[in-house]
């Protein structure tokens, strides 16, 4: 309990400093800390380097990896700053590209699933209601520490999006789509359940959560890809033309096809903005497997393919 209280008040102090100190001072300070983190955290530095090299075919990624570390602290700073800004100030710092695609999708009367990845500052998209008048709901994990959850939830609620609890969310999200509402989902998380599937991402099989595609298909939704990157001090939100889930068919095959489409879209954005993706996350392997790759200096691509083959073999065996 004592440790929780210390963390709680330390985080409140940190938020207060980020809110009230000059922006350039705060940003430069945390960027400096990110450089220290880059130096002091060899595991995540290597995770980013190995995944970048394998996915993008690059040899020298040291500078890109440092940018990834720096972008993470900028995401934190901006997420907190924006949560306490006025609606007018937020609108002045956001440039919306492709709004006509969202207007067209919502005018159809169909449910809309906005999909995004851990690209740029995905948290900033939570302010969509303030910027565009778009109401939507999202699923959010709850933290075990109630004090920490209180702070995180306060920041998210300030965005204006409706936050759904993780319990029973699948049915709630499907219900929202069937009512013609808009929901948002981050789709590039590693799958870790038996019902999850493998998608080809940068030529490597990646365990992928099947839930987004399943929910979209059950809700007969339109898929609206959207991402945000910061350019010249403003966040640019890019909305692509909506895709109808009906074209993917039904059943397990449709879940696979739609998931492939979603992950392919993420990869296409990452190719254009490689330093803005969350490469510190072990996308293709569990952390324990990634540690093994690093420790034994194994061939990453080969290990990824072998683990996928093992998983698919075990799945077929269990299905009989």
């Amino acid at each position: 309990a004592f440790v929780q209280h210390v963390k709680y008040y330390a985080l409140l102090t940190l938020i207060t400093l980020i809110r009230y100190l000059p922006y350039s001072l705060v940003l430069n300070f945390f960027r400096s800390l990110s450089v220290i983190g880059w130096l002091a955290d060899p595991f995540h530095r290597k995770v980013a380097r190995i995944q970048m090299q394998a996915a993008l075919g690059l040899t020298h990624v040291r500078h890109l990896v440092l940018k990834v570390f720096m972008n993470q602290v900028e995401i934190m700073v901006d997420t907190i700053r924006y949560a306490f800004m006025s609606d007018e100030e937020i609108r002045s710092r956001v440039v919306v590209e492709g709004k006509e695609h969202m207007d067209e999708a919502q005018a159809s009367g169909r449910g809309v699933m906005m999909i995004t990845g851990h690209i740029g500052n995905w948290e900033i998209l939570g302010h969509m209601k303030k910027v565009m008048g778009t109401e939507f709901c999202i699923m959010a994990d709850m933290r075990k520490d109630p004090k920490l959850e209180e702070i995180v939830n306060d920041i998210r609620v300030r965005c204006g999006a409706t936050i759904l609890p993780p319990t029973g969310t699948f049915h709630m999200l499907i219900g929202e789509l069937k009512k013609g509402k808009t929901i948002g989902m981050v789709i590039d998380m590693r799958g870790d359940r038996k019902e999850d599937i493998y998608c080809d991402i940068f030529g490597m099989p990646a365990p992928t959560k099947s839930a987004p595609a399943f929910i979209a298909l059950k809700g007969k939704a339109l898929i609206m890809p959207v991402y945000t990157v910061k350019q010249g001090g403003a966040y640019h939100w890019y909305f692509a033309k909506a895709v109808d889930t009906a074209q993917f068919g039904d059943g397990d095959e449709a879940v696979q096809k739609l998931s492939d489409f979603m992950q392919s879209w993420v990869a296409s954005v990452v190719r254009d903005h490689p330093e803005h993706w969350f490469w510190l996350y072990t996308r293709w392997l569990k952390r324990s497997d990634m540690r093994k790759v690093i420790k034994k200096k194994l061939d990453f691509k080969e290990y990824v393919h072998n683990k996928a083959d093992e998983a698919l073999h075990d799945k077929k065996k269990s299905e009989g």
Side-chain angles (χ1 to χ4, degrees):
F2 174 74
V3 174
Q4 285 184 345
H5 279 291
V6 170
K7 284 183 180 178
Y8 175 73
Y9 288 110
L11 190 53
L12 282 181
T13 302
L14 180 68
I15 290 171
T16 302
L17 292 174
I18 289 173
R19 284 181 62 188
Y20 293 110
L21 288 176
Y23 181 68
S24 59
L25 177 66
V26 170
L27 195 56
N28 288 330
F29 172 72
F30 280 99
R31 280 176 174 168
S32 300
L33 286 185
S34 73
V35 175
I36 296 171
W38 175 72
L39 291 168
D41 185 357
F43 174 70
H44 286 101
R45 191 173 67 240
K46 288 172 184 176
V47 166
R49 174 181 59 78
I50 290 169
Q51 293 188 138
M52 269 189 173
Q53 288 176 333
L56 304 176
L58 301 175
T59 305
H60 304 291
V61 295
R62 186 181 178 88
H63 183 58
L64 272 178
V65 172
L66 177 57
K67 277 189 173 181
V68 171
F69 270 79
M70 295 176 77
N71 281 338
Q72 297 316 302
V73 298
E74 189 160 349
I75 286 171
M76 178 195 70
V77 169
D78 285 352
T79 297
I80 292 169
R81 297 277 290 210
Y82 275 62
F84 295 92
M85 284 181 185
S86 66
D87 295 3
E88 293 75 19
E89 192 172 1
I90 291 172
R91 284 194 286 269
S92 72
R93 295 166 184 264
V94 170
V95 178
V96 180
E97 314 224 6
K99 183 178 182 293
E100 67 275 12
H101 298 316
M102 175 58 83
D103 292 340
E104 182 184 353
Q106 291 192 312
S108 71
R110 299 268 300 278
V112 178
M113 177 187 279
M114 295 185 297
I115 61 168
T116 194
H118 289 87
I119 304 160
N121 192 336
W122 58 93
E123 295 282 358
I124 293 295
L125 289 169
H127 294 281
M128 206 171 287
K129 183 178 178 181
K130 298 176 182 179
V131 175
M132 299 165 55
T134 302
E135 295 196 18
F136 69 104
C137 61
I138 58 173
M139 176 180 69
D141 291 331
M142 296 182 71
R143 284 146 191 82
K144 292 179 181 178
D145 184 336
K147 290 284 189 181
L148 178 59
E149 176 61 23
E150 180 186 319
I151 294 173
V152 173
N153 190 58
D154 176 60
I155 290 174
R156 281 182 168 159
V157 167
R158 286 175 179 276
C159 293
T162 300
I163 311 296
L164 299 179
T167 307
T169 307
F170 281 18
H171 298 294
M172 283 190 268
L173 291 174
I174 292 169
E176 290 293 299
L177 290 174
K178 286 183 174 179
K179 288 186 284 187
K181 301 293 183 65
T182 300
I183 68 172
M185 294 200 80
V186 179
I187 60 167
D188 56 352
M189 300 292 286
R190 186 183 66 247
D192 55 8
R193 297 173 182 270
K194 286 183 179 179
E195 66 268 21
D196 289 330
I197 57 180
Y198 276 83
C199 293
D200 183 287
I201 303 177
F202 294 110
M204 295 176 287
T208 300
K209 291 186 180 298
S210 58
F214 176 81
I215 291 168
L217 288 161
K218 286 293 184 183
K220 302 184 185 305
L222 297 175
I223 301 295
M224 170 67 62
V226 55
Y227 72 95
T228 176
V229 291
K230 196 173 185 181
Q231 299 171 0
Y235 278 100
H236 288 244
W237 296 1
Y238 296 92
F239 291 84
K241 190 171 179 60
V243 174
D244 194 337
T245 52
Q247 73 184 61
F248 295 93
D250 298 303
D252 293 343
E253 188 178 348
V255 170
Q256 181 69 59
K257 286 181 179 178
L258 181 52
S259 298
D260 287 337
F261 165 77
M262 290 176 170
Q263 300 306 317
S264 178
W265 170 76
V266 171
S268 70
V269 177
V270 174
R271 283 191 187 94
D272 292 336
H273 307 280
E275 72 275 19
H276 288 283
W277 200 36
F278 191 40
W279 293 96
L280 310 182
Y281 176 69
T282 55
R283 179 63 184 89
W284 285 267
L285 297 171
K286 293 179 181 178
R287 283 172 64 93
S288 57
D289 287 322
M290 196 68 189
R291 288 187 185 280
K292 190 183 294 183
V293 168
I294 292 170
K295 186 178 180 180
K296 297 185 177 181
K297 297 183 179 179
L298 303 175
D299 183 289
F300 177 72
K301 279 190 174 183
E302 183 181 337
Y303 193 81
V304 165
H305 280 280
N306 288 340
K307 292 300 288 187
D309 289 343
E310 286 176 20
L312 292 172
H313 177 266
D314 291 343
K315 189 174 183 179
K316 286 180 182 177
K317 194 174 178 180
S318 66
E319 290 173 352

